Amino acid sequence: MTLTYQAPLRDMRFVMDEWLDAASWWRDVPEWQDLDSHTAQQVLEQAARFVEERIAPLNASADLEGCHFDAGKVTTPAGFSKSYAEFVEAGWPTLSLDTAHGGQGLPQLLDVALQEMLAGANHAWLMSPGLTHGATACLQRYGSERVKRELLPKVASGEWLSTMCLTEPQAGSDVGLIRSRATAAPGTDGYFIDGSKIFISGGAHDLTENIVHLVLARLPDAPPGTKGLSLFVVPEWLAGDDAGRSRNGVHCEGIEKKMGLKGSPTCTMRFERAFGWLVGEAHRGLACLFVMMNAARLQVAMQGLGHAHTAWQRSRAYAQERAQMRAPSVPLDATVAPGQASPIAFHPAMRRILMELRAVVEGERAIGYWTAHWLDVGARHADAAEREQAAQLASLLTPIAKAFFTANGFDAASNALQVFGGYGYIHEYGIEQTLRDSRVSMLYEGTNEIQAIDLLVRKVLPDGSQALGLLLRHVRAEAQFCEESDPLVRSAGVKLRELVEAVERTTQAIKTRQAHDPETAYRVADDYLAMLGWMLLAFAWARTLRIAAPLHDSEAFYVEKRETGRFFFDYPLAAFAYRRSLVEAGCVATLPHV
């Protein structure tokens, strides 16, 4: 029985090589002309070996040990510090970093696959280095020349880790309530930061010799609300004149006792005359931070996928070995002696759970990698118009992926625990840890409800659904391709086209109602996002069926793809109609105040 993490390399290869045909586009990018599918797979194989051998074995033990806090110092679980040093030495933090900043310059697509592996293997371990990519992008774009010279190279390489310090006791999702202050440091090019922050992942640890904090605070002349926030970069340690270093006014006052992710220190931080530098323009801190937050949101989406994959992998292995009762039917190639119990994987109730897990996991992998592909196109395409359209698509897809994937990750863990029965409720089988660890992904980097509002209120309605129209054109084109194929694929294409039409009608109904009831979009946003999520899974499976259907005599992999695709359109896709019905109800009904 496989209870340790195994990277889904075969399916990753399918998505990259066949579903996306990424290598064909890479050849059009000067920097990637030598990057082919074989090289990309070698990278992923090396990543999988490192994750499976060095990161995954620490997952269960770190959950039991947790982090230790003593007089302001934090010690991470056994093995974390050493494995992180190996991670940096192998160059994994710089995988997709621009070569101009010491990176390997590979596509975001490969980095997203690495993030999926790390999250699925050991989410708590990932939490401390998880912001490296976003912090690097933020400092690269908005940092001063001094910051780029003295801090950026060490952050980008992973030699120093970084944090994102937003939340305060009175300011969670509403960052406009932040009270931390910044004042000019006389005779320097920097500022003193004073204030307290909570829920800071990796605010203190023993993984690196320095930690670079990105802190939101207010200058003395700041206007109220979000328009008065500035961003500062504040190292824990400052370089000294004698080539030594001095401790900055950054203090960890404690770590949280949490539901999950016990191997990751979630810190309460106090900044007391902590010296730092302004990042970007004064009072424009949120604009600078969005670069970091957007990168983080796609990574969080991949955490949801990683949790779902781990849940599927473990529950499938358990169900194939655990025998209970006699199933009403058995596979044609299986034999069960009279009176002998059947593996629970043969029972219809368990088969349905396992198939739903698989359908969601493999569909989300395609959509998550597709989103990363659009980020690559937006950054590297030679044509400015193509870059702009790719950026629009990635911006629209990111909140959907973050909210939809993480909600499904938690549901997947819960459903997988049901497969284990009573054994799932105890620690040694691992699935209860996945359930606990997965829950927080629905909360941070903007709660899922905020992602839904971002999608509908800020990205669909204001621009006349231009970005949505672009997405629907891609989905409709796939539906047309499928309708011109064999009967199985044609049926999927017809259903996919109907989903596109339903989304268009529902979006128009929201617009019409919103004109008379301004609360409408806020009321239906969650269900609207989920509706689009199910449409995207249908898009993923329609394309998968179109690829797999002609390969009748091929390996079992494609046979399973066809079976799973057929199942998806017969069963899980019913969730689209359910979510749409809730949107329609929300367009008519109102919510009482409680």
Side-chain angles (χ1 to χ4, degrees), residues 62 81 157 169 182:
S81 181
S157 68

Side-chain angles (χ1 to χ4, degrees), residues 68-127:
H68 305 279
F69 176 80
D70 182 23
K73 294 185 178 181
V74 174
T75 305
T76 55
F80 271 39
S81 181
K82 182 179 180 181
S83 60
Y84 180 72
E86 294 168 343
F87 183 73
V88 173
E89 183 179 359
W92 293 116
T94 67
L95 190 66
S96 61
L97 181 65
D98 195 299
T99 54
H101 297 279
Q104 301 174 55
L106 293 173
Q108 292 283 350
L109 177 58
L110 296 180
D111 190 69
V112 161
L114 171 63
Q115 299 303 319
E116 179 198 341
M117 292 186 214
L118 290 169
N122 192 334
H123 185 185
W125 186 96
L126 174 62
M127 288 299 293

Side-chain angles (χ1 to χ4, degrees), residues 491-569:
S491 174
V494 170
K495 290 181 180 179
L496 185 59
R497 175 173 48 79
E498 291 172 349
L499 297 185
V500 172
E501 294 169 354
V503 167
E504 290 175 328
R505 290 194 300 271
T506 303
T507 304
Q508 185 56 51
I510 295 171
K511 291 179 181 178
T512 301
R513 178 69 178 180
Q514 182 78 3
H516 306 287
D517 178 6
E519 191 181 77
T520 300
Y522 295 88
R523 200 163 54 236
V524 305
D526 287 346
D527 294 306
Y528 182 84
L529 183 147
M531 182 183 72
L532 291 189
W534 287 108
M535 180 198 70
L536 286 169
L537 286 189
F539 167 63
W541 277 110
R543 179 176 289 185
T544 297
L545 283 172
R546 181 166 61 85
I547 295 167
L551 305 173
H552 294 296
D553 299 322
S554 62
E555 61 184 283
F557 176 85
Y558 295 101
V559 175
E560 291 176 347
K561 283 291 186 187
R562 292 194 293 272
E563 290 175 347
T564 308
R566 182 185 297 111
F567 168 82
F568 174 82
F569 282 98

Side-chain angles (χ1 to χ4, degrees), residues 4-260:
T4 57
Y5 178 81
Q6 291 184 331
L9 290 173
R10 180 65 185 91
D11 201 49
M12 289 178 168
R13 186 168 76 246
F14 169 78
V15 175
M16 291 186 186
D17 292 352
E18 299 178 72
W19 201 94
L20 285 172
D21 191 17
S24 294
W25 185 74
W26 292 340
R27 287 193 291 269
D28 294 331
V29 179
E31 299 88 342
W32 296 338
Q33 287 181 346
D34 295 331
L35 178 63
D36 57 16
S37 296
H38 178 68
T39 304
Q41 290 309 312
Q42 286 183 318
V43 171
L44 293 182
E45 287 168 6
Q46 291 298 321
R49 184 174 297 111
F50 181 85
V51 170
E52 291 170 0
E53 294 178 359
R54 302 297 297 122
I55 307 301
L58 304 174
N59 189 46
S61 59
D63 183 60
L64 292 176
E65 179 186 351
C67 295
H68 305 279
F69 176 80
D70 182 23
K73 294 185 178 181
V74 174
T75 305
T76 55
F80 271 39
S81 181
K82 182 179 180 181
S83 60
Y84 180 72
E86 294 168 343
F87 183 73
V88 173
E89 183 179 359
W92 293 116
T94 67
L95 190 66
S96 61
L97 181 65
D98 195 299
T99 54
H101 297 279
Q104 301 174 55
L106 293 173
Q108 292 283 350
L109 177 58
L110 296 180
D111 190 69
V112 161
L114 171 63
Q115 299 303 319
E116 179 198 341
M117 292 186 214
L118 290 169
N122 192 334
H123 185 185
W125 186 96
L126 174 62
M127 288 299 293
S128 289
L131 291 175
T132 294
H133 182 271
T136 299
C138 180
L139 296 179
Q140 183 176 318
R141 183 168 178 180
Y142 294 109
S144 66
E145 290 305 313
R146 179 175 182 177
V147 166
K148 290 179 181 178
R149 182 177 66 253
E150 297 181 8
L151 303 184
L152 178 58
K154 293 183 180 294
V155 171
S157 68
E159 183 180 346
W160 292 352
L161 283 171
S162 55
T163 72
M164 185 161 55
C165 296
L166 282 67
T167 305
E168 299 180 2
Q170 79 291 344
S173 299
D174 187 358
V175 293
L177 299 177
I178 283 175
R179 296 172 184 163
S180 294
R181 305 176 310 281
T183 54
T188 74
D189 60 349
Y191 296 80
F192 289 127
I193 313 299
D194 290 275
S196 295
K197 301 288 183 177
I198 62 171
F199 302 158
I200 307 305
S201 297
H205 52 67
D206 57 354
L207 303 180
T208 57
E209 66 175 14
N210 203 354
I211 302 172
V212 175
H213 304 277
L214 285 160
V215 185
L216 278 182
R218 295 184 182 282
L219 290 164
D221 61 342
T226 57
K227 294 181 180 180
L229 295 173
S230 299
L231 183 64
F232 300 87
V233 56
V234 183
E236 180 183 17
W237 291 90
L238 297 168
D241 295 335
D242 57 354
R245 60 178 191 163
S246 60
R247 182 66 186 255
N248 204 356
V250 179
H251 310 277
C252 177
E253 298 195 315
I255 57 176
E256 301 294 343
K257 182 178 176 65
K258 302 174 295 185
M259 172 181 175

Side-chain angles (χ1 to χ4, degrees), residues 1 311-312 314-331 334 336 340-355 357 415-424 429:
M1 178 164 49
W312 142 248
R314 291 188 176 210
S315 58
R316 185 192 190 198
Y318 179 83
Q320 289 173 335
E321 293 195 8
R322 174 69 168 172
Q324 294 283 277
M325 302 174 288
R326 187 172 179 84
S329 65
V330 299
V336 179
Q340 181 180 353
S342 306
I344 62 173
F346 292 177
H347 291 272
M350 296 297 101
R351 277 159 44 204
R352 177 172 173 177
I353 291 175
L354 294 171
M355 286 299 295
L357 289 172
N415 290 333
L417 193 151
Q418 194 72 17
V419 173
F420 281 86
Y423 283 113
Y429 282 80

